[in-house]
């Protein structure tokens, strides 16, 4: 039966081929389609046609070659659960040696406390301060995000340049919204006009390279309600929370096969409201959760999936040049 003769929507054809290739049983696939409103007879015909299609058969053979990698990842996940590492730890005054030994090289996330107390930013930063000191500096933001569910993976469609004073006014008056956000890819931290703002932060001693060139850090600023969808970074990141709180959810890197990757480093799953019918494997993922408070730093290991939602007006700084021989560790993904 050709797709043109079928009443099944194109998105369900794609879903069906992908899930059969991943090893989802015909009965489980049928149940998902029926629960989504597809007639049972049509669902069975489409599943039979997909199973007989040579493209799906070829994809299934490739899928089997990688099943052992998923089995190994599942083993890591089981060991992770058995170890008791099923919560996001918060540690105060952790030494650099302990941080690198247990968390950086151990590939574990952690919230660090007590490392931002000497930052002038903790005493000075506010929306009023940004407006007063840097109001005329032009900054780039991502705007119009609400109209595009794929805004995070399509940044060039949303870039807008405005004076910082105008952006602050938007943040102050908009209330809770995800429509605009100053994200790291805007690279505002490198703008000469914000040089004095960079003087308000400090590199955590023994953990982050003290040189702190503009290209070693990034700035995030936005209203409550901004959401960074579930994704992973290709390097280790240390996020310092200066203003406001952020709600975070993390999934281990070795559970990639449970988060339905798309657009390279992003997940198809809405981590705020996962749909178990469309993404059943996500229900097996280990999800670590915490609220990061002002003055806390969140270590995000390379490859770990994370979803972030601002609970308040929020300002954060991220670091990615760790004080190690050879620098940070990177994940080199296929192009």
């Amino acid at each position: 039966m050709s797709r043109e003769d079928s009443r099944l929507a194109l998105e369900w054809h794609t879903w069906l081929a992908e899930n059969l290739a991943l090893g989802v049983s015909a009965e489980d696939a049928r149940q998902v389609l029926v629960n989504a409103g597809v007639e049972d007879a049509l669902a069975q015909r489409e599943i039979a046609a997909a199973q007989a299609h040579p493209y799906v058969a070829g994809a299934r053979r490739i899928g089997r070659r990688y099943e052992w990698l998923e089995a190994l990842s599942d083993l890591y996940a089981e060991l992770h659960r058995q170890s008791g590492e099923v919560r996001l730890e918060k540690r105060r005054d952790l030494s650099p040696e302990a941080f690198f030994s247990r968390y950086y090289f151990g590939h574990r996330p952690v919230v660090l406390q007590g490392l931002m107390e000497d930052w002038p930013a903790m005493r000075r930063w506010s929306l009023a301060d940004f407006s007063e000191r840097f109001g005329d500096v032009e900054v780039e933001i991502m705007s119009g995000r609400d109209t595009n569910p794929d805004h995070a993976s399509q940044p060039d469609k949303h870039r807008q340049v405005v004076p910082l004073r105008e952006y602050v006014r938007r943040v102050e008056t908009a209330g809770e919204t995800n429509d605009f956000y100053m994200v790291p890819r805007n690279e505002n931290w490198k703008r000469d006009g914000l040089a004095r703002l960079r003087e308000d932060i400090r590199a955590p001693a023994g953990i982050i390279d003290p040189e702190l060139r503009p290209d070693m850090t990034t700035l995030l600023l936005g209203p409550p309600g901004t959401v960074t969808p579930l994704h992973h970074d290709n390097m280790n990141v240390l996020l310092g929370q200066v203003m406001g709180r952020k709600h975070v959810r993390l999934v281990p890197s070795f559970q990639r096969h449970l988060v339905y990757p798309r657009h390279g480093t992003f997940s198809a799953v809405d981590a705020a409201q996962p749909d178990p019918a469309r993404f059943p494997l996500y229900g097996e993922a280990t999800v670590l959760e915490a609220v990061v408070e002002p003055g806390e730093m969140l270590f995000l290991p390379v490859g770990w999936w994370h979803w972030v939602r601002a609970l308040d007006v929020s300002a954060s700084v991220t670091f990615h040049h760790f004080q190690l021989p050879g620098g940070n560790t990177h994940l080199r993904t296929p192009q």
Side-chain angles (χ1 to χ4, degrees), residues 116 121-122 125-127 130 220-224 239-247 291-296 309-316:
M116 297 171 60
M122 295 301 301
W125 282 14
S126 67
L127 293 181
F130 294 154
L220 300 86
L221 176 64
L239 179 145
Q241 191 63 22
V242 181
M243 293 167 47
R245 300 165 300 153
K246 284 187 169 175
H247 180 194
V291 172
V292 182
E293 306 280 350
E296 295 183 334
R309 185 179 188 275
L311 302 178
D312 314 292
V313 172
S314 172
S316 313

Side-chain angles (χ1 to χ4, degrees), residues 236-315:
N236 295 283
V237 173
L238 185 64
L239 179 145
Q241 191 63 22
V242 181
M243 293 167 47
R245 300 165 300 153
K246 284 187 169 175
H247 180 194
V248 299
R249 289 175 175 161
L250 290 78
V251 176
S253 59
F254 44 80
Q255 293 187 341
R256 181 180 187 274
H257 56 299
L258 304 181
V259 301
Y260 298 84
R262 66 195 291 261
H263 299 319
T265 60
F266 289 90
S267 165
V269 178
D270 178 0
Q273 296 180 310
D275 184 343
R278 305 256 349 232
F279 308 111
L281 295 178
Y282 185 74
E284 301 175 19
T286 300
V287 180
L288 308 185
E289 192 167 8
V291 172
V292 182
E293 306 280 350
E296 295 183 334
M297 308 192 83
L298 171 64
F299 173 61
L300 294 166
V302 56
W304 270 66
W305 299 82
H306 48 284
W307 168 93
V308 185
R309 185 179 188 275
L311 302 178
D312 314 292
V313 172
S314 172

Side-chain angles (χ1 to χ4, degrees), residues 58-315:
R60 182 70 189 113
R61 285 196 293 271
I62 293 173
R64 290 193 185 98
R65 299 174 190 174
Y66 293 95
E67 283 181 350
W68 75 271
L69 289 175
E70 293 188 1
L72 183 60
S73 294
D74 288 338
L75 173 62
Y76 288 157
E78 181 59 28
L79 292 171
H80 184 77
R81 293 188 188 100
Q82 290 180 356
S83 73
E85 302 291 345
V86 292
R87 64 183 179 88
L88 185 51
E89 291 184 275
K90 291 196 174 188
R91 300 288 303 273
R92 174 167 288 278
D93 300 327
L94 193 69
S95 70
E97 294 77 15
F99 165 75
F100 282 110
S101 174
R102 176 167 175 76
Y103 299 104
Y104 188 97
F105 296 123
H107 197 56
R108 297 183 180 95
V110 65
V111 175
L112 302 174
Q113 300 172 322
L115 298 181
M116 297 171 60
E117 294 171 353
D118 62 338
W119 287 25
M122 295 301 301
R123 301 182 296 276
R124 170 176 277 181
W125 282 14
S126 67
L127 293 181
D129 173 63
F130 294 154
S131 235
E132 179 182 345
R133 289 199 290 159
F134 309 103
D136 294 330
V137 179
E138 289 197 329
V139 295
E140 188 178 70
I141 64 171
M142 297 296 176
S143 187
R145 290 158 42 112
D146 281 345
T147 62
N148 180 8
D150 290 325
H151 60 81
S153 60
Q154 299 172 357
D156 291 339
K157 295 182 178 181
H158 299 274
R159 297 185 189 276
Q160 181 183 14
V161 176
V162 297
L164 183 55
R165 182 179 292 106
E166 166 62 20
Y167 181 62
V168 165
R169 186 194 65 78
R170 289 193 202 180
V171 174
E172 287 177 322
T173 59
E176 188 171 301
T177 180
N178 189 39
D179 196 47
F180 57 87
Y181 193 16
M182 183 187 293
V183 301
R185 67 175 74 235
N186 294 121
E187 298 187 343
N188 289 312
W189 209 237
K190 298 179 183 179
R191 295 176 182 262
D192 292 340
L194 297 181
R196 287 185 298 135
L197 191 63
R198 298 195 297 266
E199 295 172 1
D200 291 340
I201 68 171
R202 301 287 183 266
I207 294 177
I208 295 297
D209 188 331
E211 185 178 358
L212 281 192
R213 298 192 315 267
D215 64 331
M216 293 179 170
T217 57
T218 60
L219 174 67
L220 300 86
L221 176 64
T226 52
V227 173
T228 303
L230 190 64
H231 73 291
H232 73 80
D233 295 315
N234 288 334
M235 58 186 172
N236 295 283
V237 173
L238 185 64
L239 179 145
Q241 191 63 22
V242 181
M243 293 167 47
R245 300 165 300 153
K246 284 187 169 175
H247 180 194
V248 299
R249 289 175 175 161
L250 290 78
V251 176
S253 59
F254 44 80
Q255 293 187 341
R256 181 180 187 274
H257 56 299
L258 304 181
V259 301
Y260 298 84
R262 66 195 291 261
H263 299 319
T265 60
F266 289 90
S267 165
V269 178
D270 178 0
Q273 296 180 310
D275 184 343
R278 305 256 349 232
F279 308 111
L281 295 178
Y282 185 74
E284 301 175 19
T286 300
V287 180
L288 308 185
E289 192 167 8
V291 172
V292 182
E293 306 280 350
E296 295 183 334
M297 308 192 83
L298 171 64
F299 173 61
L300 294 166
V302 56
W304 270 66
W305 299 82
H306 48 284
W307 168 93
V308 185
R309 185 179 188 275
L311 302 178
D312 314 292
V313 172
S314 172

